[in-house]
Every structure is written in structure tokens, then in C-alpha cells.
Amino acid sequence: MRVGVPKEIKVQEYRVGLTPGAVREYIAAGHQVTVETGAGSGIGASDEVYQRAGASIAASASDIFAKSEMIVKVKEPQKGEWAQLREGQILFTYLHLAPDPEQAKGLLASGCTAIAYETVTDAAGHLPLLAPMSEVAGRLAIEAAGAALKRSAGGRGLLLGGVPGVQPARAVVLGGGVVGTQSARMAAGLGAEVTVIDRSIPRLRELDDLFAGRVRTRFSTIESVEEEVFSADVVIGAVLVPGASAPKLVTRAMLKSMRPGAVLVDVAIDQGGCFETSHATTHAEPTYEVDGVVHYCVANMPGAVPVTSSQALNNATLPFGLMLANKGFAAVLENPHLRNGLNVHRGRITNKAVAESLGLEFAPVGSGLAA
């Protein structure tokens, strides 16, 4: 198969769809890989490095989209990219369609087959292609919160872990999944007072065992969320409903009862955010203030550490990408985990949660869909 890797064009996105090491694996499996010039510059991989791995170098993204049977990216296609997609072409990347009807419309119009990293599953029902970036984002969330808490950044002027004789910051993590666990790990490691809120009692038990009492756990109710958020210095939004828009757990009205200069970090912003006052920001201008509360809502947090992120992402996506390269759309029909990743095919939405979030018709695989 002819596999293409365009350079990411989202603002301050430095990751790359295929690392040179991953390219070698595709080449060894008998596929052709073309990489846009400069695509690997963010991870320090020059065109020459890609050529040594066996890739061809294209002068422009238009060459990649025109000649490739499968496009491998990191972030969702931007307007100029989805306009170049075509029927029969496979797009393998993060999509996050639920809060993005414009992108969904563009993909539907293209007729392409779009498989979203964030809804591919494994045998345990987990999300193996989302997990590595969730790990990165969860850890970065605490770094971001610590920076935003500084008085010079508009925060309360607190050190997350405090010092002897001075109370540490209080960090509340909404959601006990991968992001939440990594955020709690980092915050506790820095000495903050940490509480994780989740709706799953079994998960709360796991977290209690994992952290051996160093992190408090609370079952999620309206009351418990309010109590913890109102007394928090940092709130990490780490709630995930696979494929669907994130629930709004912190409302605009709640901000007035929060501590002035407290920090909200919305890691769920790719799925619309779990704070009512959230809107996507960039690494160039990561924060803004609403009612005295600092909001950090960068939509591509792992892009800030592209070497780590690209390697971790490629480790996870490589087996699935090779399946697609080897068998094309037949791999989706044969593999239930790739089938769960299928979001768009020939002008139809094929993921139920995405369809419901967008208010569009759901066309499951098998309902007249063919390669």
C-alpha cells in the first residue's frame, strides 16, 4: 500500500504520524511510505533520516494526499486537508469528531474512510491508541497547573507541594481513568493534597490500592464535586465518554464559589471540554481567565513534548496501521477493534456515540457498507 505522512499543520503541533522507526516497519512489510518534507522536524528527524529508513520525500502535502492510499497523521485534519481527501482513501489519525461538526461535514463530503485513534479498542475494552497520549497529557496537566498557579501567570501564587510548615495546594482530579491516574500520580509526587472523583466504585478501590492512601477518593455526585471544586486550588478535568462529548461537570455558576486564582486544566477539551466555560487554546496562548479562575485548555497538550509523544503514539498505533496497510478496509471488517475505530465511511457516520453527539444518522458497519 502507498502510505503518506503529511506534516502536521495545527498551531504548534510538532508530533509526526510515523517516526523513522515506524517507517522501517512499514517498508519491511512491503509498503511504500512517502513523507512530506520537514514532517519530522519537530522530533529532530530530518528528511535524510526518513530516506535512510526507506521513505520517499514529497515536496508538499498535496503530493501526499494525491498519491497515497492511506494517510497517517496525529491530529484531526484541518479544513485544507479534509478537502484533499477522497473516496476509497483511508485516514488514520485522532479525529475527536463529537464537538467538531464542521470537520465531520468535511469528512462525510470527502467519501473517505476515517479511523479515529481515540475509539479503537482492545480485548479488554480499553482505548490503546488514546492511552499513551492520555498518559502524557495527564502528566503535563500538573506541570501546566503548577505554572498557572504562579502569581505572575494570574494564579493564586501557590507552590503545588508547599514547603515544610506551609500547606500544599489542593488538587482535585475529575475522572479516574488514564489521564486522571497520571495527573494524581504527578500531583501526589510533587507533594500536593490530591482527591480523585469518579463514578466507578471498583475504579476508586483500584486507585486507593494503587496510591496506598496518599490520594483521597470520592464517589462522584453533584454534592461531592461542588465540595471538592470549591475548596480546590487546581481542578483537572479528566472525564472521558468514548466518542461522545464530555459532560459539563463544572458550570459557570460554580466559578463564583471557587477560590480566586484557582486553576482549571481541561484535558477533555478535545471532546468539547468538561467545564462549561472551556474553549480550546493553544500553546502560544494557553490560558485565559473567567470570573477570577484561570483556565488552561490547550487542545494538543502532548504536542509540547513531541519526541516523547510521537514515540509513544507510534508504539501503540503501529500494529493497527500495519493491519490497515496489509489488508485495507478488509482489516476493519475482520478486526472488531479497528471496527470500533471506524468513524466515517463513504459519507456515513459509523460510530454511534459520534453520531448521537452530532445529531446525525448512525450507519453501523454491516448496514450496506462495503470496501
Side-chain angles (χ1 to χ4, degrees):
M1 179 178 282
R2 297 188 304 276
V3 179
V5 182
K7 185 174 183 177
E8 297 295 322
I9 59 173
K10 190 163 186 174
V11 177
Q12 292 193 316
E13 178 53 68
Y14 304 109
R15 290 172 288 179
V16 64
L18 292 181
T19 61
V23 167
R24 290 187 66 184
E25 298 295 326
Y26 277 83
I27 298 298
H31 305 293
Q32 301 174 34
V33 180
T34 304
V35 178
E36 182 183 354
T37 183
S41 60
I43 64 168
S46 66
D47 291 350
E48 291 73 20
V49 170
Y50 275 102
Q51 287 174 320
R52 288 199 296 270
S56 300
I57 302 300
S60 66
S62 59
D63 290 340
I64 297 286
F65 283 92
K67 299 175 182 178
S68 303
E69 297 168 277
M70 180 167 77
I71 302 292
V72 180
K73 282 178 42 62
V74 178
K75 290 305 293 178
E76 71 279 358
Q78 305 301 293
K79 188 172 183 179
E81 294 177 314
W82 73 59
Q84 299 181 70
L85 293 166
R86 63 180 184 275
E87 185 171 340
Q89 195 171 47
I90 295 173
L91 173 65
F92 193 38
T93 190
Y94 287 115
L95 293 176
H96 300 292
L97 288 175
D100 194 351
E102 186 180 7
Q103 183 201 169
K105 183 178 178 181
L107 294 180
L108 290 170
S110 76
C112 77
T113 296
I115 298 163
Y117 293 158
E118 71 271 13
T119 61
V120 173
T121 56
D122 61 18
H126 299 149
L127 305 172
L129 308 193
L130 185 62
M133 295 305 92
S134 295
E135 290 169 342
V136 173
R139 296 184 180 204
L140 283 176
I142 297 303
E143 292 186 15
L149 269 179
K150 296 175 181 177
R151 188 65 182 164
S152 58
R156 297 197 66 220
L158 290 177
L159 182 64
L160 267 174
V163 293
V166 179
Q167 186 174 340
R170 298 192 65 182
V172 174
V173 181
L174 303 178
V178 177
V179 170
T181 301
Q182 296 302 322
S183 292
R185 184 190 301 275
M186 289 290 285
L190 288 171
E193 181 183 318
V194 185
T195 301
V196 179
I197 300 179
D198 199 274
R199 295 192 69 86
S200 168
I201 294 294
R203 183 56 185 161
L204 293 176
R205 289 195 181 105
E206 291 172 355
L207 291 171
D208 188 61
D209 289 340
L210 176 65
F211 291 111
R214 292 179 63 209
V215 169
R216 296 170 61 233
T217 59
R218 290 197 69 177
F219 182 74
S220 180
T221 63
I222 296 172
E223 182 177 49
S224 66
V225 170
E226 287 183 345
E227 287 178 354
E228 295 297 334
V229 168
F230 292 163
S231 62
D233 301 303
V234 170
V235 180
I236 306 295
V239 180
L240 173 69
V241 180
S245 296
K248 307 299 184 191
L249 298 184
V250 176
T251 65
R252 174 71 182 266
M254 291 170 67
L255 299 188
K256 294 180 174 60
S257 297
M258 291 184 65
R259 293 176 170 178
V263 175
L264 298 179
V265 179
D266 199 339
V267 189
I269 192 64
D270 273 336
Q271 293 295 128
C274 57
F275 308 137
E276 186 179 14
T277 45
S278 291
H279 64 74
T281 61
T282 68
H283 291 291
E285 296 184 40
T287 63
Y288 60 93
E289 186 179 308
V290 179
D291 295 340
V293 175
V294 179
H295 292 56
Y296 180 100
C297 304
V298 174
N300 61 330
M301 290 175 63
V305 287
V307 175
T308 299
S309 297
S310 295
Q311 291 175 355
L313 179 61
N314 275 250
N315 290 344
T317 59
L318 181 61
F320 293 96
L322 287 175
M323 286 183 209
L324 290 167
N326 290 337
K327 295 187 176 182
F329 187 72
V332 176
L333 299 176
E334 294 175 9
N335 187 288
H337 307 306
L338 274 174
R339 197 155 60 241
N340 288 333
L342 184 67
N343 279 207
V344 176
H345 181 64
R346 289 189 171 178
R348 298 183 182 183
I349 298 291
T350 54
N351 181 285
K352 186 176 182 180
V354 170
E356 290 177 349
S357 293
L358 293 170
L360 298 174
E361 182 181 354
F362 166 50
V365 175
S367 60
L369 297 180

